[in-house]
Amino acid sequence: SGTVTLAGAVPGSLPSLLTGSVVGLELGDVVGVLQGDTAAMAGLASLDFRLGGTRTMPTLRGSASLTGPILGDVRAPLIRAAFDYDNRSLRSLITFWRTGDPVLEVDLTLPFDLALEAREERKLPGQIAITAQADSVDLAVFEAFTPSIRNSLGTMALDLRASGTWDDPRLDGTLALLGAQARLPALGVTYGNVEGRARFSGDSLILDSLGMRSDGGSLTATGSIRFEELTKPVLDLRIAAREFLVMDVPNYLKLRPDLDVTLRGPLMQPVLRGLGTLTGSVLYFADLVSKDIVDLEDPAYIDLVDTLALRKQRLGAAFQSRFLDSLRIEDLRFRLGQDVWLRSSEANVQLEGSVTIDKLRKNYRLAGTFNAPRGTYTLRIPYLPARDFDVEGGTVSYFGSPDLNAELDLRARHVARMVDGDEVPIVARIEGTILVPRLTLSSPGRNLPERDLLAILMFGRPDFQLGGRESAQVNSTVRSMLAGAVSGELERLVGIDMFEFRPGFIEDNQGSSLTQLLAGFQLSRRFFVTFNAGFCLGGASAGPAFSRNNLGGSLEYRLSRDFRIQVSAEPVGTCQANPTVTLLPRRYQFGGDLLWEREY
């Protein structure tokens, strides 16, 4: 429904005049015509302008407004601007409005080259003049700029005057925060009692004081932000925190540190160094059932992920901002104080010790060893009550690997009661790594195989005293535990894109189903191939252990995000205990599928 009107001629080598007006133009429509990301920009634009002069020395005058603009993660209030450009100097008055009241006014004069031809550098030598004023602005206005802040209280006062040049700015004025409070939903915390005062002096913003509280803890910051160039701020901050709740995201991380750190460097590439102590913190890790975490913004998944839906649902960089992604951490040493726990749905382990943290871009590295003096571990068995083990000790060791994969060595004890009243102590040993843990069972002073210990845990008596169905359930549980360990370990060691171990099941001596090994490989961005081999386990009556007739495979081609084609070949039948059946020729089934995926 927007209209665009143009009249005249575009300035060239001879002076010309072009006038234009834009009324109610939806920016998202413009981006869509240009085949851009329509979720990254939105808002209604209005514009009136007069473009004159020549291509190399144009003149420009007019006014513009943006209603409800969205620029990436920024959601600004109403913006109005008047501008006048002549003799390579841009003068503009920009006003930010909220609910009918101006909240921030910026008056600027900048030496700038708006020539209608290519330029290596648009910023020109000459004097700049910038004035920005905001008097007792309600901080709730910042909720309109970003979805990362909610429930804002308090006021801000700003009085800024800038002069000098692009490369050597001169600043003067003050900035103050009074009675501020804000909730950060992405971090799950509320920062309150925020009081801060800063002054502009020379080429820097000097932070005289900044204090805040979170869940009984406190944080203070001092230092400066120096503007080497007007558009290139450099941080030099010192931060001290005492039991300050930085983050409390369920099933992810609860972080309450004591800190003495420095934050120095360019705004978009700062470096964090210093010392810290963790108290009252919780770290969550992958369960024994492994989980894969995929970066949805990785270019490798551009054909698989609907980036438009990603932005609309705020699943992109809202949780971790671009600033945090660019933050570099060097030799940040943390000691674990009281009440620090490592948790999953299966384990809750207290940690003691120290660790050194380094980070470059999105890659974290941890080095150090944690002791585990106490805790609990829950062994979950399908269709049966869980069994709780008490952690007696162990270690969790990080060796600086980029995948944050720690080496586990935990010991936990459970006393199982037999059906005849006897008590059997069972020790669970969790070894391996966080990504590929291994669980083994033993009983001190008793020479019992792991299968019998698992049967005692499940049914209160050893395996040889169980019936056929109960024994088959123990067998199934043992194979499932083995499958997870084997699959994860081979994926890591061999470098296979996907590996699965699917154990067959034996029940009442009636034969078994195929035990399958599957390996998958990503051939290209669109092709994925899977091979599988079947084995008959369960004795001679189940037929030959391996046969070429048990080989299969599939090939998948992705046409687009929504459509893919898959062709496959699989053997018909399973391992049979009946000799007359196993003599029948094996047959294959061939299939082809056109798959359409759509989310609503």
Side-chain angles (χ1 to χ4, degrees):
S1 61
T3 61
V4 178
T5 303
L6 297 174
V10 177
S13 56
L14 297 177
S16 301
L17 178 64
L18 177 68
T19 62
S21 67
V22 176
V23 179
L25 181 63
E26 174 58 61
L27 295 182
D29 293 340
V30 177
V31 175
V33 170
L34 299 176
Q35 297 187 356
D37 187 351
T38 57
M41 183 175 292
L44 289 176
S46 297
L47 172 67
D48 285 290
F49 70 89
R50 292 171 58 88
L51 177 63
T54 63
R55 181 187 302 115
T56 57
M57 292 289 290
T59 62
L60 180 63
R61 175 174 293 183
S63 63
S65 67
L66 280 175
T67 303
I70 297 176
L71 306 174
D73 289 336
V74 176
R75 283 161 161 72
L78 172 64
I79 302 175
R80 289 179 177 170
F83 50 88
D84 185 5
Y85 178 78
D86 191 12
N87 196 26
R88 296 184 178 179
S89 178
L90 175 64
R91 173 74 186 275
S92 180
L93 176 63
I94 305 172
T95 307
F96 294 84
W97 297 74
R98 184 174 187 266
T99 62
D101 297 321
V103 296
L104 175 63
E105 289 187 348
V106 180
D107 191 352
L108 56 85
T109 301
L110 302 173
F112 207 77
D113 190 350
L114 290 180
L116 305 179
E117 55 186 23
R119 291 285 191 268
E120 290 185 3
E121 179 60 63
R122 294 286 181 177
K123 293 180 293 186
L124 299 176
Q127 293 295 307
I128 64 174
I130 301 176
T131 300
Q133 290 185 330
D135 185 16
S136 299
V137 175
D138 188 343
L139 290 178
V141 68
F142 289 102
E143 296 186 21
F145 283 88
T146 172
S148 300
I149 299 177
R150 289 291 178 265
N151 303 332
S152 301
L153 300 175
T155 59
M156 179 192 74
L158 172 66
D159 180 15
L160 168 64
R161 297 173 297 279
S163 59
T165 64
W166 287 102
D167 297 333
D168 186 21
R170 301 285 94 187
L171 308 176
D172 186 34
T174 59
L175 172 65
L177 295 175
L178 301 175
Q181 174 180 304
R183 177 164 181 80
L184 280 66
L187 301 181
V189 294
T190 297
Y191 297 157
N193 299 328
V194 182
E195 300 279 343
R197 296 185 181 277
R199 50 193 166 88
F200 296 94
S201 178
D203 63 351
S204 300
L205 171 64
I206 300 173
L207 186 62
D208 293 324
S209 65
L210 175 63
M212 64 183 71
R213 301 189 68 82
S214 175
D215 195 40
S218 63
L219 181 146
T220 59
T222 57
S224 65
I225 301 176
R226 184 165 63 91
F227 295 86
E228 292 182 343
E229 298 180 18
L230 187 62
T231 57
K232 294 182 179 179
V234 178
L235 306 178
D236 184 7
L237 302 176
R238 293 170 295 280
I239 302 171
R242 296 296 176 263
E243 298 185 0
F244 186 78
L245 184 60
V246 175
M247 177 186 296
D248 188 6
V249 180
N251 299 319
Y252 181 73
L253 181 64
K254 181 179 180 181
L255 195 61
R256 187 191 296 272
D258 291 349
L259 287 175
D260 287 291
V261 298
T262 61
L263 185 63
R264 297 190 173 101
L267 178 63
M268 295 312 298
Q269 290 182 327
V271 180
L272 184 67
R273 300 183 180 93
L275 302 172
T277 300
L278 286 182
T279 58
S281 301
V282 180
L283 297 83
Y284 295 85
F285 68 97
D287 301 329
L288 293 184
V289 178
S290 62
K291 301 178 179 66
D292 292 330
I293 300 176
V294 178
D295 182 358
L296 298 180
E297 296 184 290
D298 192 326
Y301 302 104
I302 191 171
D303 289 331
L304 309 179
V305 178
D306 187 344
T307 56
L308 177 60
L310 195 66
R311 287 185 178 272
K312 285 183 176 180
Q313 310 239 355
R314 316 302 301 160
L315 296 177
F319 179 75
Q320 47 187 12
S321 69
R322 305 299 179 185
F323 172 82
L324 293 178
D325 286 344
S326 66
L327 174 66
R328 182 173 177 178
I329 300 177
E330 290 185 354
D331 196 30
L332 179 60
R333 297 185 294 278
F334 266 106
R335 182 178 65 85
L336 270 60
Q338 298 179 351
D339 198 25
V340 178
W341 296 83
L342 186 68
R343 287 179 182 165
S344 73
S345 63
E346 296 176 341
N348 184 27
V349 181
Q350 186 178 6
L351 297 181
E352 298 175 347
S354 60
V355 66
T356 300
I357 304 174
D358 292 279
K359 174 183 176 291
L360 181 61
R361 292 183 289 275
K362 293 185 179 182
N363 299 319
Y364 288 83
R365 293 179 183 270
L366 276 67
T369 298
F370 300 132
N371 296 319
R374 63 188 58 84
T376 59
Y377 167 73
T378 301
L379 179 62
R380 303 187 186 278
I381 303 172
Y383 312 113
L384 291 174
R387 301 294 188 263
D388 292 329
F389 288 70
D390 294 325
V391 173
E392 296 180 326
T395 59
V396 179
S397 302
Y398 287 91
F399 300 102
S401 59
D403 57 2
L404 299 182
N405 196 13
E407 184 176 285
L408 302 176
D409 186 3
L410 302 175
R411 299 178 304 280
R413 179 185 292 265
H414 172 83
V415 177
R417 184 177 294 275
M418 303 273 284
V419 292
D420 59 3
D422 188 16
E423 292 184 345
V424 179
I426 299 178
V427 174
R429 188 83 176 264
I430 306 170
E431 298 177 295
T433 65
I434 284 181
L435 295 181
V436 188
R438 296 191 305 271
L439 174 67
T440 57
L441 301 176
S442 63
S443 182
R446 299 174 184 249
N447 187 21
L448 293 175
E450 193 171 65
R451 185 184 182 89
D452 282 340
L453 295 176
L454 189 59
I456 292 172
L457 279 172
M458 297 172 67
F459 302 106
R461 52 182 180 269
D463 181 61
F464 64 85
Q465 296 181 6
L466 300 179
R469 186 171 297 276
E470 292 176 336
S471 180
Q473 192 168 353
V474 172
N475 182 67
S476 172
T477 303
V478 171
R479 292 192 179 191
S480 296
M481 293 169 59
L482 177 63
V486 171
S487 299
E489 192 69 22
L490 285 179
E491 283 182 358
R492 183 179 67 86
L493 295 177
V494 183
I496 298 175
D497 294 321
M498 182 194 74
F499 185 86
E500 291 185 19
F501 174 45
R502 297 178 180 174
F505 303 99
I506 305 173
E507 185 172 351
D508 296 334
N509 297 319
Q510 296 300 314
S512 69
S513 61
L514 277 175
T515 295
Q516 287 187 310
L517 299 177
L518 293 88
F521 302 89
Q522 187 77 45
L523 301 181
S524 68
R525 289 170 58 182
R526 296 183 180 273
F527 281 99
F528 191 90
V529 62
T530 303
F531 301 100
N532 65 70
F535 299 83
C536 292
L537 302 178
S541 62
F546 174 74
S547 169
R548 58 183 176 83
N549 293 323
N550 293 335
L551 299 177
S554 65
L555 178 66
E556 178 183 303
Y557 177 75
R558 184 168 290 274
L559 299 170
S560 65
R561 289 193 187 99
D562 300 331
F563 289 93
R564 55 193 173 96
I565 298 175
Q566 186 180 60
V567 293
S568 59
E570 298 286 344
V572 177
T574 59
C575 302
Q576 300 290 335
N578 190 334
T580 61
V581 177
T582 58
L583 295 177
L584 296 176
R586 291 294 179 91
R587 295 173 297 163
Y588 269 83
Q589 58 182 359
F590 298 90
D593 298 282
L594 175 62
L595 305 175
W596 177 48
E597 300 173 357
R598 194 69 177 173
E599 292 186 359
Y600 298 94

